[in-house]
Amino acid sequence: MKIYPFKALRPKEEYASKIASPPYDVVNTEEAKKYAKGNPLSFLHIVRAEIDLPEGTDLYSPEVYKKAGENLQKLRQEGYLIQEEKPSFYLYELEMDGRVQNGLVALVGCEDYEKGLIKIHEKTLERKEDDRVNYILGTKAHNEPVFFTYKGIEEINKKIKDIKKEKPLFDFETRDQFGVVHHRLWVVKNENDIEILQKNFEKVPCFYVADGHHRSAASYRVWKQLKEENKNHKGDEEYNWFMAVMFPKEELFIYDYNRVVKDLNNLSKDEFLEKVKEKFEVFEDYKDKKPKEPKSFGMFLDGKWYLLKAREGTFDSKDILKSLDVSILQENLLDPILGIKDPKTDKRIDFIGGILGMEEIERRVKGGWAVGFSLYPTSIDDVLKVADLGLTMPPKST
């Protein structure tokens, strides 16, 4: 794969921790307001620019994209953001709960997306694509990197270790409801280092989108649109690429993605359990709460934890999609017993990231939801297999 250094627009060192913000799609408007309160430098003023507009402003209105562009330029004009003097790569390390992952921030070509060398595993929604297209055009920038993974190469790992021997440019912690994350970033401007990384990334056969399917698709659409508008222009343009951060798959950790359901679909507790036993072995008083292996599930019902194990014949082990735990639960319990036909749109189901722990499932069920399920995490290898086959993962798999 080809990767390209670039002159990033980045925070001055002393402002990095103030400017850093959660990604746009993990906070809603109210949460973004709370995060950014009292901090005019927060990047949420760009990626969630509606927080600086009158309450009730349509999130997809032109005013939002215009405000995002104005806020970005303000940070630049006031000297909080500066542009790198020479094309560089950026090494980004995150550490949480003792786990470390290292990503290289670089530009990738829109042509590689068109060729299918950047592989996807999710379907995108047109309206969300439109939103990201408008953000790119409104700010004239790629404001957040797409999160790629790849099958690691020892030479790349070795070079990254060498770079990390130097003092990082940024080094700070963030704290939120998910925990404490330590962030470090190195600017890779040495031409020899850049050349070594480029040559070794050429050995990587493809990239996989781990997160940022809408941003990838939007970047591709912007490229196609501007290329058509500038078809008489000769030479390269800035919109031929988009920003990504590449993490080796060996360093990634996928959390479980759990479920809670509002009611038992007009069944009594005993009726519900009898139906569940048709497709699952059911064990009461499950102390561990979380499943320890695939094809098994924790279930919290009426103040008690159960362990469910899928019975033989409930899934096709030769079908990668049907053998995923999220599919087994959906097709053998959520749909036929609880009537959840489409988990993406049904208001009776909600999803809880495993980072919040089993306590969040218990809290929700004790607070009025009828039943909760803990799942074994989807493996990164399964995600890559699905992408290699040109398929898409079931909703809320990771």
Side-chain angles (χ1 to χ4, degrees):
M1 295 297 294
K2 292 184 177 180
I3 59 171
Y4 306 90
F6 65 109
K7 297 180 182 179
L9 190 62
R10 61 163 178 83
K12 280 187 177 177
E13 295 90 315
E14 61 267 36
Y15 303 119
S17 62
K18 286 280 191 183
I19 292 174
S21 79
Y24 83 98
D25 54 355
V26 302
V27 291
N28 60 32
T29 302
E30 289 308 309
E31 290 167 335
K33 282 181 180 178
K34 289 178 183 176
Y35 272 111
K37 188 176 181 181
N39 180 13
L41 302 187
S42 172
F43 210 69
L44 287 170
H45 293 286
I46 289 95
V47 296
R48 300 296 308 215
E50 74 274 7
I51 66 176
D52 295 325
L53 293 171
E55 195 163 337
T57 298
D58 184 350
L59 299 184
Y60 304 110
S61 66
E63 290 79 13
V64 173
Y65 310 117
K66 182 183 177 190
K67 189 65 177 175
E70 291 172 352
N71 288 347
L72 179 62
Q73 289 308 312
K74 184 179 179 184
L75 283 182
R76 187 175 188 177
Q77 290 162 3
E78 294 180 354
Y80 298 109
L81 291 177
I82 58 174
Q83 187 154 29
E84 207 70 63
E85 292 182 358
K86 61 183 291 187
S88 305
F89 289 139
Y90 303 84
L91 177 59
Y92 179 31
E93 178 197 270
L94 298 97
E95 181 177 357
M96 181 178 182
D97 297 334
R99 289 190 301 274
V100 177
Q101 62 186 50
N102 299 279
L104 191 72
V105 185
L107 297 186
V108 296
C110 293
E111 281 189 349
D112 284 342
Y113 184 88
E114 185 175 59
K115 292 174 183 175
L117 296 175
I118 296 170
K119 299 191 177 187
I120 62 175
H121 66 263
E122 282 183 15
K123 291 179 180 175
T124 56
L125 301 174
E126 186 176 5
R127 188 173 187 186
K128 288 189 174 182
E129 277 189 30
D130 292 343
D131 174 51
R132 293 300 94 192
V133 167
N134 289 331
Y135 251 103
I136 294 169
L137 295 175
T139 59
K140 295 183 172 60
H142 293 282
N143 294 295
E144 295 183 327
V146 177
F147 175 4
F148 286 167
T149 190
Y150 63 97
K151 295 171 183 176
I153 288 179
E154 185 54 38
E155 291 89 344
I156 296 174
N157 297 340
K158 184 176 182 300
K159 176 48 64 178
I160 284 174
K161 284 181 183 176
D162 288 343
I163 293 167
K164 286 174 62 175
K165 292 174 183 176
E166 303 294 326
K167 183 181 178 182
L169 179 70
F170 301 152
D171 189 344
F172 62 91
E173 286 185 347
T174 57
R175 298 170 184 266
D176 56 27
Q177 73 267 38
F178 303 119
V180 179
V181 180
H182 202 125
H183 306 261
R184 299 180 184 90
L185 184 134
W186 291 260
V187 179
V188 184
K189 56 180 116 180
N190 179 280
E191 292 181 4
N192 185 54
D193 289 341
I194 290 172
E195 184 179 352
I196 289 172
L197 287 167
Q198 284 182 308
K199 283 186 175 179
N200 282 292
F201 266 99
E202 287 178 2
K203 301 174 187 176
V204 175
C206 63
F207 290 138
Y208 299 86
V209 179
D211 185 62
H213 285 80
H214 289 92
R215 277 167 278 157
S216 300
S219 299
Y220 172 70
R221 281 178 50 186
V222 168
W223 172 60
K224 295 288 282 186
Q225 177 181 326
L226 295 181
K227 190 165 80 162
E228 178 63 25
E229 292 174 3
N230 297 279
K231 57 186 175 184
N232 295 323
H233 181 78
K234 303 293 184 184
D236 291 335
E237 293 285 356
E238 292 182 351
Y239 51 79
N240 290 357
W241 302 277
F242 61 100
M243 181 172 60
V245 55
M246 283 73 72
F247 293 93
K249 81 176 184 70
E250 293 79 13
E251 293 183 1
L252 297 189
F253 178 85
I254 298 182
Y255 282 97
D256 40 309
Y257 212 173
N258 303 311
R259 278 91 167 121
V260 286
V261 179
K262 197 69 178 174
D263 58 68
L264 297 181
N265 199 24
N266 296 317
L267 297 170
S268 68
K269 172 187 167 184
D270 291 338
E271 290 171 335
F272 170 68
L273 283 171
E274 284 305 308
K275 286 184 176 292
V276 171
K277 288 175 183 177
E278 293 174 11
K279 296 293 181 73
F280 299 86
E281 294 180 76
V282 179
F283 304 88
E284 295 190 25
D285 299 317
Y286 183 52
K287 299 292 191 297
D288 291 319
K289 304 180 183 179
K290 295 177 66 168
K292 294 184 174 181
E293 58 185 359
K295 316 297 185 278
S296 59
F297 309 85
M299 181 175 74
F300 189 63
L301 174 70
D302 196 25
K304 183 190 290 188
W305 279 98
Y306 298 78
L307 174 65
L308 312 182
K309 289 191 173 183
R311 294 187 184 278
E312 193 173 333
T314 55
F315 61 93
D316 181 358
S317 59
K318 295 179 181 177
D319 187 319
I320 179 67
L321 291 180
K322 290 186 181 299
S323 61
L324 293 171
D325 284 23
V326 290
S327 299
I328 293 170
L329 186 67
Q330 176 62 31
E331 296 185 14
N332 292 281
L333 197 159
L334 295 178
D335 179 0
I337 300 176
L338 294 178
I340 307 291
K341 300 292 182 187
D342 186 350
K344 287 191 295 185
T345 59
D346 199 313
K347 303 295 186 199
R348 296 170 51 236
I349 189 169
D350 201 6
F351 304 89
I352 299 172
I355 197 169
L356 296 175
M358 299 300 99
E359 296 77 16
E360 182 63 14
I361 296 177
E362 294 176 354
R363 187 187 73 80
R364 295 287 288 275
V365 172
K366 290 174 181 177
W369 292 71
V371 62
F373 300 94
S374 59
L375 281 76
Y376 193 79
T378 303
S379 76
I380 186 67
D381 287 328
D382 280 343
V383 173
L384 302 197
K385 283 178 191 174
V386 169
D388 283 335
L389 291 168
L391 303 173
T392 55
M393 297 288 287
K396 307 295 184 180
S397 295
T398 61

